[in-house]
Amino acid sequence: MHLGLLVLFLSLAKSCWCAPQQTCHPGDEFLGRCSNSVVEEKPACTEMNLGYCNDMEYSRTIFPNILGHRTRMEAESGAEYLLLSVIHGLLNGECSPEIRLVGCSVLASPCQDDKMIRPCRTTCEALRRDCVHAFEAIEMAWPYFLDCDRFFASDQEGCFDPLAGMKARQELALSSLSPEEPSTIIQFTYTSNAQMYSLLKRTAAKCSHISHVYSIGRSTEGRDLLVIEFSNNPGQHELLEPEIKLVGNMHGNEVLGRQLLIYLSQYLCSEYNLGNQRIQTIINNTRIHILASMNPDGYELAASEVEDSNDPELNNQEGHLLNGWTNGRTNAQNLDLNRNFPDLTSVFYRNRRSRHYRIDHIPIPDAYWFGKVAPETYAVMKWIRSLPFVQSASLHGGELVVSYPFDFSRHPHEERMFSPTPDEQVLKQLARTYADAHVTMSNNDTDRCGASFYRTRGIINGALWYSFAGGMSDFNYLHTNCLEITVELGCDKFPPESELYPEWKNNKEALLTFLESVHRGIKGVVKDVDGNAIKDATISVRGIRKDVTTAEDGDYWRLLNPGTHILTATAKGYSRVSKRVHLPHHMTKAGRVDFVLERVPVEPDYDDHLFPTIDTWDRFDPYNQFERYGEPVITEGGIEREEKPWWWNYFSQSGISPPNWLLRTV
């Protein structure tokens, strides 16, 4: 629809409507019936009568206007006026009504004492800074009639601010709110991929002191997998500060999660700046990573299907609704990303009875790399391994429930079998945290989408619901420290735009509560007797056969429910230290438990394989299928992206210098 309007506008902009020129026959001119001479009329103020500009703060204008239109009819027939009439639809409501009001101030400037008052250049420049990205998102140049230097005046020349009235009304509305209830304004509309990138970059720029954006890779069709981060020290891991991630749009046609994460990003930025103490506490004590769209290629296809459904010439509406459950689900390679991760759950089931086999940080089998690995999957796996994530949520659609690992049944022939992890109680509590904070998810009387989850109050073990291998949540649990839940947000995978605001209200508290819930259990630092941090030390909890490892600075986090726990810290070449810890109910933050380990002689032991080695867990992509990504570089848009050519590792590992002609291609 927007493309059609844009083509219409451009075609009209290239043409010009002109009234037929009036000529007078010489004989009629001699008799005084008419005249070919032009009588210059002095410009005078006249009543404003332009439909799209009648809500301006003034009622009188003057012609000719700044653009040279001599009459109201000439102004109304111009391409500039046409653009103002469709600008809201073209920009998806962004920068509206500011663009229209400033445009009207050029087409119909205020008039006083038969003199024109031009709009202020400072207003135009501020508008361009804030809104040029919206035009770039639809690949359209900034409108020529909003040229700040050409058509606007300085304060010294005497000008007026066309947005002054709107700003005054907004300030009045904000002043009427109590200080305890700061307000954030969000446009609840769908965003294209280009608009999403622009909006996230704009949000990060607005809150550069607590946020920045970075790319973890690219999709099959070359679109950025863009992450926005929130922290009081963005770009840096801080000692003992937990890291949490939220992932949306893994299936391209499940779009509500994508939009909620975009809104959450705007909300966190705005509320932090407004002084919301709850939001400031979350961001000052947590490092939050938000990947709004893991599958932008699939979204592109799903969005085009929905746009086609609005075409009145298409009569197969039922077919479209049916396709909405499948079209765009997969990536551009037709791979379901939530079936594309390494199947570590089968490895876990095969070895779980052996007390000598480590069942956490399971390495990726070499055989996995001989299959078809999506670039989106690869990018997310590398991201998951690169940061010490503690907990995570993946947002989906099609049901109203929170599921938790394992997603793959412990019996290969049982489609629905309860298949708990060693952290069953912790993961169940994590799922309960989101479901209970959601407005309707845990209610017994909530309408469901076919499945019956009211008996479990909106949560379920994934394999008990339905079993599948290669899921992202199982991979997080078995390959890293991170515990991930899957949040199904509702029956409609691509709800109408009118449902976006109600769904934000349904999920806002749940999202914030989930972010806060990472501060439960215990955290601490593992050091040697000299005070040096020990990386990759293991922290085990008696009765839970799942260890976590320490990060680069020796810090760790272990999500645990209230109760008494016996913790043990150890590392290869160091002593083993155990501590008994009691976690009371209603703790508002994680308890701190530090360990100091002494060096001991290293002797060969049957249990050596309990620790990750360079030949197992640390080895990633051993066949260099994807290693075109290496050191981060900064692109023109200011986004960090890892970008190394495919041959880089070959020369790096062989010690041979690449030829100059090859270096010039980088």
Side-chain angles (χ1 to χ4, degrees):
M1 179 182 70
H2 294 169
L3 182 60
L5 289 172
L6 186 57
V7 171
L8 174 63
F9 166 69
L10 292 175
S11 63
L12 288 175
K14 292 178 180 177
S15 62
C16 177
W17 180 90
C18 301
Q21 185 177 0
Q22 299 294 325
T23 60
C24 181
H25 191 275
D28 291 334
E29 185 176 18
F30 176 77
L31 295 173
R33 294 174 180 169
C34 60
S35 174
N36 281 322
S37 60
V38 178
V39 179
E40 290 290 341
E41 294 185 6
K42 183 181 178 181
C45 296
T46 183
E47 290 297 317
M48 171 86 77
N49 195 17
L50 287 172
Y52 286 103
C53 301
N54 279 341
D55 59 344
M56 300 295 286
E57 300 296 323
Y58 51 91
S59 60
R60 294 177 70 77
T61 186
I62 190 170
F63 288 99
N65 63 12
I66 297 176
L67 302 177
H69 300 141
R70 303 191 63 83
T71 64
R72 176 184 63 82
M73 289 184 60
E74 194 175 334
E76 283 185 332
S77 63
E80 302 86 2
Y81 188 74
L82 175 61
L83 177 60
L84 294 183
S85 69
V86 299
I87 196 68
H88 180 86
L90 281 175
L91 301 184
N92 256 346
E94 195 167 358
C95 293
S96 178
E98 291 91 339
I99 290 281
R100 181 180 59 81
L101 293 175
V102 174
C104 284
S105 73
V106 175
L107 280 174
S109 304
C111 179
Q112 185 176 0
D113 299 330
D114 293 337
K115 291 183 179 179
M116 178 190 296
I117 306 175
R118 291 193 175 215
C120 291
R121 185 173 295 124
T122 53
T123 302
C124 175
E125 291 170 344
L127 180 69
R128 176 159 187 162
R129 281 195 304 271
D130 290 342
C131 298
V132 69
H133 71 279
F135 287 89
E136 291 173 352
I138 60 173
E139 298 180 355
M140 182 177 174
W142 182 256
Y144 88 93
F145 62 94
L146 296 182
D147 186 325
C148 303
D149 295 324
R150 186 176 174 189
F151 300 122
F152 294 76
S154 66
D155 295 340
Q156 292 77 15
E157 294 173 286
C159 63
F160 85 103
D161 182 358
L163 302 181
M166 185 188 72
K167 293 174 184 175
R169 288 190 293 273
Q170 289 177 346
E171 289 176 3
L172 180 63
L174 288 174
S175 65
S176 66
L177 297 173
S178 64
E180 292 78 20
E181 297 179 358
S183 176
T184 291
I185 299 174
I186 298 174
Q187 299 243 346
F188 292 96
T189 57
Y190 279 117
T191 53
S192 67
N193 283 322
Q195 290 167 336
M196 175 186 68
Y197 297 143
S198 177
L199 196 56
L200 293 178
K201 286 187 281 186
R202 184 182 175 191
T203 300
K206 181 180 178 183
C207 292
S208 58
H209 56 303
I210 58 165
S211 178
H212 90 299
V213 292
Y214 63 94
S215 174
I216 62 172
R218 293 202 175 205
S219 68
T220 303
E221 295 181 345
R223 295 182 175 91
D224 269 313
L225 303 179
L226 198 65
V227 175
I228 184 168
E229 173 198 337
F230 289 93
S231 167
N232 61 347
N233 189 14
Q236 300 292 327
H237 171 71
E238 294 186 72
L239 190 71
L240 293 173
E241 184 172 271
E243 310 223 9
I244 185 171
K245 60 184 169 71
L246 301 173
V247 180
N249 206 203
M250 186 181 198
H251 293 141
N253 62 335
E254 297 171 11
V255 302
L256 180 57
R258 165 190 169 115
Q259 292 303 135
L260 291 179
L261 294 183
I262 293 172
Y263 303 151
L264 178 64
S265 302
Q266 295 174 274
Y267 182 82
L268 292 175
C269 169
S270 177
E271 291 293 304
Y272 190 98
N273 287 341
L274 286 169
N276 185 322
Q277 291 186 359
R278 182 186 187 189
I279 301 303
Q280 290 181 342
T281 300
I282 291 174
I283 292 177
N284 290 341
N285 295 283
T286 319
R287 192 178 180 201
I288 304 162
H289 304 258
I290 298 174
L291 174 61
S293 182
M294 182 179 167
N295 186 3
D297 297 349
Y299 174 82
E300 200 77 18
L301 177 60
S304 66
E305 288 287 329
V306 171
E307 189 167 325
D308 287 344
S309 75
N310 296 323
D311 190 336
E313 295 183 3
L314 299 179
N315 52 20
N316 187 14
Q317 299 300 306
E318 292 183 3
H320 159 72
L321 293 175
L322 180 61
N323 289 339
W325 276 75
T326 56
N327 285 358
R329 175 183 173 88
T330 59
N331 76 339
Q333 298 169 299
N334 201 30
L335 294 174
D336 187 328
L337 299 181
N338 207 27
R339 310 291 188 273
N340 194 234
F341 284 80
D343 176 16
L344 303 183
T345 324
S346 294
V347 179
F348 168 82
Y349 289 145
R350 284 198 304 270
N351 297 285
R352 70 185 185 276
R353 298 189 187 281
S354 170
R355 74 177 185 88
H356 294 291
Y357 192 86
R358 185 169 187 165
I359 60 174
D360 55 83
H361 295 78
I362 298 176
I364 298 171
D366 281 4
Y368 170 75
W369 299 106
F370 292 103
K372 202 166 186 178
V373 181
E376 297 90 346
T377 309
Y378 176 86
V380 169
M381 284 197 297
K382 193 169 184 181
W383 181 45
I384 291 171
R385 290 167 54 94
S386 67
L387 294 169
F389 291 117
V390 180
Q391 78 182 43
S392 172
S394 178
L395 307 188
H396 291 250
E399 252 300 344
L400 188 63
V401 69
V402 179
S403 69
Y404 57 90
F406 286 126
D407 285 323
F408 189 41
S409 172
R410 53 196 169 100
H411 194 293
H413 300 298
E414 289 289 341
E415 285 297 317
R416 291 178 173 84
M417 173 179 278
F418 176 60
S419 305
T421 68
D423 278 291
E424 163 69 13
Q425 295 306 316
V426 176
L427 282 163
K428 192 173 182 179
Q429 182 57 40
L430 203 58
R432 172 68 50 219
T433 297
Y434 195 99
D436 287 352
H438 188 278
V439 172
T440 62
M441 190 177 287
S442 63
N443 294 354
N444 290 339
D445 58 349
T446 299
D447 290 334
R448 302 290 170 173
C449 318
S452 221
F453 300 115
Y454 64 88
R455 292 186 183 89
T456 57
R457 292 175 46 228
I459 69 170
I460 193 169
N461 171 259
L464 182 59
W465 182 15
Y466 66 94
S467 173
F468 64 91
M472 185 166 68
S473 293
D474 284 10
F475 175 80
N476 272 275
Y477 184 78
L478 292 172
H479 192 66
T480 73
N481 294 336
C482 186
L483 305 188
E484 180 174 276
I485 60 172
T486 300
V487 182
E488 300 281 345
L489 294 165
C491 308
D492 199 340
K493 295 190 174 190
F494 207 131
E497 208 166 64
S498 59
E499 291 298 315
L500 294 180
Y501 177 58
E503 287 297 345
W504 166 249
K505 291 197 296 183
N506 288 342
N507 287 275
K508 184 182 79 169
E509 180 59 31
L511 288 166
L512 297 179
T513 302
F514 185 76
L515 293 178
E516 292 169 326
S517 69
V518 73
H519 297 279
R520 68 161 57 132
I522 58 170
K523 63 182 179 181
V525 181
V526 180
K527 297 181 179 180
D528 62 18
V529 292
D530 297 321
N532 301 312
I534 302 177
K535 179 187 176 184
D536 288 332
T538 60
I539 309 297
S540 59
V541 181
R542 183 178 296 180
I544 302 178
R545 200 176 169 195
K546 153 78 174 177
D547 298 344
V548 298
T549 58
T550 55
E552 193 76 30
D553 299 324
D555 46 350
Y556 75 92
W557 303 261
R558 185 57 166 100
L559 297 179
L560 289 170
N561 289 341
T564 300
H565 305 278
I566 297 177
L567 310 178
T568 300
T570 187
K572 192 165 187 177
Y574 289 89
S575 60
R576 182 184 300 266
V577 176
S578 297
K579 294 185 178 183
R580 185 184 185 92
V581 177
H582 177 70
L583 297 178
H585 288 78
H586 310 299
M587 283 186 68
T588 57
K589 61 181 181 179
R592 180 162 180 178
V593 181
D594 294 338
F595 292 91
V596 176
L597 307 184
E598 296 181 359
R599 280 197 173 274
V600 296
V602 179
E603 297 180 1
D605 184 37
Y606 181 78
D607 291 340
D608 279 350
H609 64 279
L610 294 179
F611 300 91
T613 67
I614 191 65
D615 294 326
T616 54
W617 188 85
D618 281 345
R619 185 170 66 167
F620 187 60
D621 193 9
Y623 303 102
N624 296 332
Q625 294 193 43
F626 288 91
E627 285 296 342
R628 60 180 177 273
Y629 299 106
E631 297 300 320
V633 297
I634 306 298
T635 65
E636 291 181 4
I639 302 173
E640 288 185 14
R641 182 181 297 122
E642 294 182 351
E643 202 72 65
K644 289 286 187 179
W646 62 270
W647 45 263
W648 190 270
N649 276 347
Y650 170 78
F651 287 103
S652 298
Q653 294 170 7
S654 65
I656 303 172
S657 298
N660 290 333
W661 66 266
L662 199 55
L663 287 171
R664 285 195 292 270
T665 66
V666 178

